[in-house]
Amino acid sequence: MELCFVGAAGTVTGSKTLLRIADRNVLVDCGLFQGVKNLRNRNWAPPPFNVRGLDAVVLTHAHIDHSGYLPVLVRQGYAGPVYCTPATRDLCEILLLDSAHLEEEEADFLNRHGKSKHHPALPLFTTDDARRAIERLTPQAFDTPFEVCPGVQVTFWHAGHILGAAMAQVDVDGRRILFSGDLGRTDDPIMPAPANPETPDLLVLESTYGDRLHDRTDPGAQLAEILHRTFARGGSVIVPAFAVGRVQSLLYWIARLKSAGEMPDVPVYLDSPMAISVTKTYSSHLADQRLSALECAQMCNAATFVTSVDQSKWLDTRAMPAIIIAGSGMATGGRVLHHLKAMSGNWRNTVLFTGFQAPGTRGSTMVNGGSEVKIFGDYVHVNAEVVQLDTLSAHADYGETLNWLSKFHKPVGGIFLNHGEPAAADSLRRRIADRFGWPCKVVEPMESVCLDPSTSARNGDSHEEGEHRED
């Protein structure tokens, strides 16, 4: 038995872990690399494993860094099932088709303007590739074991994080391996807290916030304060937002503030076709969230849905205060760029970012005090107030992760940390060692670990003891 960390090792993107058991091969997650160019270039390299030799793919959730490589995998010849939860299946259909459209749109733009060294520039995958990948999605219920190939059984447990997100427990040859996927927050108002499965023999654990604790400020109070001071000066709030999870959290808090009379009666617009589709999906999966049917309906009805381009353009001509929520979350594309170009020069307005802004993005430039950003070839002065709301994270911080680990009834035989930047992952390793004393290591890109019965996360790591003495 062997684990190979194909992606999300040393970084927080491109999640792929290959589990080999004799002649059986299961890929857990199938994500795209996103972010800086040297990471994105990895998406174009041939898969470092035999695609046709895969027996199954298991998805923990729908985010593109966990599911977005599926169309490429199918185009390369994968014809087997892709197991996921029902909500993940519905979200993947929305996200994969949208990603394919963006790939095709970018290739067309490069070809029309001669801006690529490739002739012609090609999309990483097409809409047809995405549709074929969607056909492979095979929904499975939470808390119910199912066989993915002979002798290999998987159980999905609630991970929180986003709608449909799961941990994947793999039982094979008398051993239990748990893949955490992305762990959610303990007290998220929409998503359930991560489940507490039986203690695994081995754990593959994300480490996104392994070196950070989240701000515990009440998100509703923080949002209300931002809205009040913007509307008091006659301005509007423009929110570059992530379509899955973050938009819905924002709508939830807006609905709460409206219901409590704690925000002015100003119109709210959701100007993102993808986010609209995702939001509607929530009402079809009430069992996967904390919200009641009424609360979910209030969240979904907290904004007016803007679907047409003409409606979107009209928003930039309004003189009265409003909240405009539009993708993308880091202002790298989407309809929000038009709103930023039209409105970020006005000191009365506020640009509200609701999540992490990767270096090099417009969002990063703005939250770090940049006085101008380039949009559609023109430099736009930023005179609007720019605020980053850090209280809506969907990832567990290190405190929540350690608390989750503490609920296992016996020591975990070995922990492999992935899906984290090096400093965050190593910080979490040290904290786990200090608190529990369990074998734990940070995995390297393309590292393979042989899982014989005596394997722990310390075996095969020649540096572990030296690092432990330095601790």
Side-chain angles (χ1 to χ4, degrees):
M1 199 184 303
E2 184 182 44
L3 278 175
C4 182
F5 297 93
V6 181
T11 183
V12 293
T13 188
S15 292
K16 301 181 198 71
T17 305
L18 182 62
L19 175 61
R20 296 188 177 106
I21 316 104
D23 60 345
R24 294 157 291 174
N25 296 278
V26 177
L27 186 66
V28 179
D29 282 332
C30 190
L32 274 186
F33 286 99
Q34 298 173 296
V36 295
K37 188 173 182 179
N38 70 325
L39 285 175
R40 300 197 310 272
N41 284 344
R42 296 186 194 180
N43 297 320
W44 294 89
F49 51 83
N50 179 8
V51 171
R52 296 178 186 273
L54 290 176
D55 293 285
V57 176
V58 176
L59 287 189
T60 61
H61 64 287
H63 275 150
I64 290 298
D65 64 327
H66 289 258
S67 72
Y69 193 75
L70 281 173
V72 181
L73 199 75
V74 170
R75 193 181 65 214
Q76 295 277 353
Y78 180 67
V82 178
Y83 296 103
C84 60
T85 66
T88 294
R89 186 256 169 245
D90 290 351
L91 292 178
C92 276
E93 181 172 8
I94 298 168
L95 269 64
L96 293 180
L97 289 174
D98 182 78
S99 293
H101 172 71
L102 292 176
E103 288 285 340
E104 292 171 331
E105 197 174 60
E106 181 178 5
D108 179 65
F109 174 86
L110 294 174
N111 288 324
R112 283 189 289 108
H113 295 274
K115 291 184 175 291
S116 174
K117 62 182 179 181
H118 302 287
H119 304 287
L122 298 173
L124 180 63
F125 55 87
T126 67
T127 298
D128 286 341
D129 295 328
R131 292 191 187 282
R132 286 194 292 270
I134 292 164
E135 290 173 0
R136 308 248 57 86
L137 296 173
T138 306
Q140 300 289 331
F142 280 106
D143 310 334
T144 306
F146 58 95
E147 192 172 68
V148 300
C149 59
V152 182
Q153 192 175 75
V154 171
T155 307
F156 285 136
W157 302 103
H158 281 283
H161 188 55
I162 65 167
L163 191 69
M167 308 172 212
Q169 174 185 300
V170 180
D171 290 283
V172 55
D173 296 347
R175 305 192 77 190
R176 174 164 293 166
I177 306 171
L178 182 64
F179 295 84
S180 73
D182 286 358
L183 286 180
R185 308 289 302 278
T186 304
D187 55 357
D188 188 286
I190 302 175
M191 290 295 104
N196 300 114
E198 290 186 25
T199 308
D201 298 298
L202 298 170
L203 170 63
V204 179
L205 176 64
E206 71 128 321
S207 54
T208 310
Y209 287 101
D211 58 350
R212 277 171 281 182
L213 292 174
H214 294 312
D215 184 350
R216 298 294 173 179
T217 304
D218 175 24
Q222 197 173 17
L223 178 60
E225 181 183 345
I226 295 166
L227 298 180
H228 277 288
R229 69 171 180 257
T230 304
F231 301 146
R233 59 181 182 250
S236 291
V237 178
I238 306 98
V239 187
F242 301 93
V244 183
R246 205 55 53 88
V247 162
Q248 293 73 39
S249 292
L250 197 58
L251 293 178
Y252 166 83
W253 286 109
I254 289 173
R256 286 267 309 255
L257 293 175
K258 281 185 173 181
S259 177
E262 295 177 2
M263 66 170 279
D265 186 20
V266 301
V268 181
Y269 300 100
L270 179 55
D271 186 18
S272 167
M274 182 168 69
I276 291 169
S277 297
V278 169
T279 301
K280 290 178 179 179
T281 301
Y282 275 63
S283 60
S284 302
H285 297 282
L286 290 172
D288 293 348
Q289 55 188 295
R290 297 183 194 261
L291 301 185
S292 66
L294 176 60
E295 290 170 326
C296 186
Q298 290 172 335
M299 176 188 76
C300 294
N301 294 326
T304 298
F305 293 164
V306 177
T307 54
S308 74
V309 173
D310 286 341
Q311 287 176 309
S312 180
K313 290 179 178 178
W314 172 78
L315 295 178
D316 294 336
T317 67
R318 285 180 47 88
M320 300 297 290
I323 302 172
I324 301 171
I325 306 167
S328 64
M330 298 184 192
T332 54
R335 292 184 179 182
V336 78
L337 294 184
H338 297 276
H339 303 311
L340 290 175
K341 187 171 184 179
M343 305 173 74
S344 59
N346 188 336
W347 67 272
R348 297 180 185 274
N349 297 329
T350 295
V351 181
L352 174 61
F353 290 95
T354 59
F356 173 72
Q357 303 300 307
T361 62
R362 293 185 187 88
S364 176
T365 299
M366 295 179 75
V367 298
N368 287 303
S371 60
E372 60 183 15
V373 288
K374 195 173 185 179
I375 302 177
F376 303 132
D378 297 324
Y379 283 97
V380 177
H381 287 283
V382 180
N383 295 318
E385 179 184 3
V386 178
V387 183
Q388 188 168 22
L389 191 63
D390 290 325
T391 51
L392 298 180
S393 176
H395 279 273
D397 62 19
Y398 75 73
E400 291 165 320
T401 300
L402 293 175
N403 184 59
W404 177 72
L405 290 172
S406 73
K407 291 181 170 59
F408 288 127
H409 297 302
K410 59 183 180 180
V412 177
I415 298 177
F416 301 96
L417 296 178
N418 71 343
H419 203 285
E421 298 296 335
D426 194 61
S427 176
L428 185 59
R429 177 191 67 80
R430 292 169 183 264
R431 293 177 189 280
I432 291 172
D434 289 345
R435 179 162 174 181
F436 302 105
W438 299 343
C440 183
K441 71 165 290 183
V442 178
V443 300
E444 299 289 337
M446 292 306 303
E447 179 176 3
S448 291
V449 180
C450 182
L451 305 179
D452 62 57
S454 63
T455 297
S456 76
R458 185 166 290 145
N459 293 137
D461 184 357
S462 60
H463 301 292
E464 182 68 26
E465 291 305 319
E467 290 176 357
H468 180 72
R469 282 194 295 271
E470 290 173 10
D471 290 351

